Amino acid sequence: MQMTQALKHYLKFSDLTAAEYAYLFERTALIKQKFKAYEKHQPLVDRTLAMIFEKASTRTRVSFEAGMYQLGGSVVHLTTGDSQLGRAEPIEDSARVISRMVDLVMIRTYGQDKIERFAKYSRVPVINGLTNEYHPCQILADIFTYIEHRGSIAGKVVAWVGDGNNMANTWLQAAELLGFTVHVSTPSGYEIDPALAGVHSSCYKVFKDPMQACAGADLVTTDVWTSMGYEAENEARKKAFADWCVDADMMRAAKPDALFMHCLPAHRGEEVEAEVIDGPQSVVWDEAENRLHVQKALMEYLLLGALK
Ligand code: CP
Ligand code: NVA
C-alpha cells in the first residue's frame, strides 16, 4: 500500500496540469512502444486496482483490467449488482473499506458527486472511468491519438457535433488547459454547460449549424445521442438530433487532413454515417486502443509519480 507520490485523484480532466499531461503523453508513447515490442514493463507488481462499474462498459473494463495485469498488478471487479453498493451501503463506508485493501480505484458511475464523495474518504487514488458529467480517460486517449497522427493539439480546432454531454464537458476542460478551441454544435435543449465544465468562453465557440462548427476543423468528433442513464429520453432525442449526424459533407467542410474520432460504442446512421466512421479520416480504432496505453501511464503516475 505504499505510495511514492502524494495522494492524487483523477476525477476530471482539470485535475492535472499541462506539464503533467506533457509527461503523460511522452510516457504513454514509451509504454505503447514496449507493449508493441512484447517488452515487459511491470512497475506495479503486487499492486491491486479495484474497478467499480455502476454502468455497462467494454473498452474501459478491458483497458483497465488488461492494463493493470500488464503492469504486473492485479484487479478486483465490482458492480452495483454484485456488491453491497447496490444494497445501500453508504459510499463513504465503501470508500473507507475498499481503499484499505487495494492501491487504486477506478469508478464508473452516475453523478460526479458520488465519485467526489468516494475520493474524499479514500486512502488511495481514485480514477473517473466515466460519470454523467465527465469522461477524462477518454479525452486523454483522444488527445494522445491526435498527437500521434498530427502532432501538438495546441492552437487546433476540434468540432463537437451532438450532445452537450460528459464527453463535450471534458473536451472543454482539455481545450482550456492545453490551448485549443472547441467549435460546438448541439440541438437546442442539449447545450453544453461551460459553468459545469468550469471553463472560460475563450476556449469554445457555439454554432447553431453543425456544418459551420465543422468548417476548417482539424478534428471532427461526436458521441451517441443518448448517453447511459438517459435511456428514457431516447425517442425525443432521436427527433431532436436528426440533423446532428456527422456525414461526408461535414467532413468535407473540415480541413482536408481532418481526423474523425468517436469514443465508441457508435450507432451508424444516427450520430455518424458509416462512410465517415469506416472511412479514411477515421482513427476510432487507434483511439480505442490508446485507452489501454494512456491509462497504464496514468496508473503508473498516480502510484509512483513521474519516472525517468
Ligand atoms: N468509450 C468507452 O468508455 O467505452 P465503454 O463504455 O465500452 O467503456
Ligand atoms: N456519452 C456516453 C459515452 C459512452 C462511452 C455515455 O455516457 O453513455
Side-chain angles (χ1 to χ4, degrees):
M1 302 290 149
Q2 267 199 333
M3 284 201 295
T4 47
Q5 162 88 320
L7 180 58
K8 203 184 257 292
H9 302 298
Y10 191 56
L11 307 182
K12 48 189 192 307
F13 199 87
S14 47
D15 283 348
L16 297 180
T17 63
E20 288 176 303
Y21 281 112
Y23 165 78
L24 280 179
F25 293 136
E26 219 173 273
R27 191 72 185 165
T28 299
L30 181 78
I31 287 173
K32 180 169 181 176
Q33 195 188 319
K34 288 187 176 195
F35 174 81
K36 296 288 179 187
Y38 295 94
E39 202 181 307
K40 263 193 186 165
H41 177 67
Q42 303 199 317
L44 299 186
V45 171
D46 292 337
R47 306 293 178 113
T48 307
L49 165 73
M51 306 189 297
I52 302 173
F53 284 98
E54 299 208 288
K55 290 175 176 170
S57 168
T58 297
R59 278 144 289 269
T60 304
R61 164 97 193 255
V62 176
S63 54
F64 269 106
E65 188 158 340
M68 193 56 178
Y69 283 125
Q70 289 163 18
L71 292 171
S74 55
V75 299
V76 176
H77 177 253
L78 293 164
T79 68
T80 315
D82 66 13
S83 69
Q84 301 291 4
L85 285 160
R87 298 182 61 254
E89 180 166 13
I91 197 96
E92 294 79 0
D93 293 0
S94 304
R96 286 181 176 109
V97 172
I98 294 168
S99 71
R100 282 182 179 229
M101 298 178 183
V102 303
D103 303 275
L104 192 57
V105 179
M106 188 286 307
I107 307 180
R108 167 168 287 197
T109 188
Y110 293 88
Q112 179 73 12
D113 61 305
K114 226 170 164 181
I115 199 170
E116 304 269 355
R117 271 160 61 211
F118 191 104
K120 194 168 165 203
Y121 290 88
S122 174
R123 286 183 167 190
V124 301
V126 177
I127 298 173
N128 183 344
L130 180 146
T131 57
N132 291 348
E133 289 84 355
Y134 308 119
H135 198 3
C137 292
Q138 183 67 55
I139 302 299
L140 190 59
D142 293 7
I143 294 175
F144 179 75
T145 307
Y146 187 86
I147 295 168
E148 268 192 320
H149 284 268
R150 295 283 183 267
S152 171
I153 198 165
K156 300 288 162 72
V157 171
V158 175
W160 176 263
V161 176
D163 194 12
N165 64 8
N166 43 10
M167 284 290 295
N169 290 334
T170 313
W171 270 116
L172 294 181
Q173 292 189 337
E176 174 135 306
L177 203 61
L178 303 181
F180 60 93
T181 309
V182 186
H183 286 187
V184 182
S185 180
T186 69
S188 67
Y190 301 94
E191 290 87 356
I192 51 162
D193 182 350
L196 174 74
V199 297
H200 299 100
S201 57
S202 54
C203 72
Y204 67 92
K205 276 188 199 154
V206 174
F207 297 84
K208 268 209 172 105
D209 179 354
M211 280 291 278
Q212 279 177 13
C214 293
D218 298 280
L219 165 64
V220 176
T221 184
T222 186
D223 188 10
V224 291
W225 290 343
T226 304
S227 286
M228 291 180 279
Y230 298 84
E231 289 79 3
E233 301 173 12
N234 201 23
E235 286 314 308
R237 283 173 173 264
K238 273 189 175 172
K239 286 191 192 106
F241 283 79
D243 293 334
W244 278 263
C245 172
V246 177
D247 59 15
D249 287 341
M250 290 187 199
M251 292 307 297
R252 268 192 290 274
K255 287 215 179 109
D257 70 342
L259 299 176
F260 173 78
M261 289 191 198
H262 188 311
C263 65
L264 306 177
H267 300 83
R268 289 168 177 77
E270 291 191 10
E271 74 274 8
V272 60
E273 291 296 3
E275 65 177 323
V276 172
I277 193 167
D278 299 319
Q281 287 166 283
S282 172
V283 290
V284 296
W285 313 123
D286 289 343
E287 184 187 0
E289 177 190 325
N290 283 334
R291 289 290 300 278
L292 172 72
H293 309 302
V294 295
Q295 288 162 195
K296 284 167 76 177
L298 176 68
M299 291 192 283
E300 184 192 77
Y301 180 64
L302 292 178
L303 289 176
L304 304 178
L307 303 176
K308 287 266 179 294

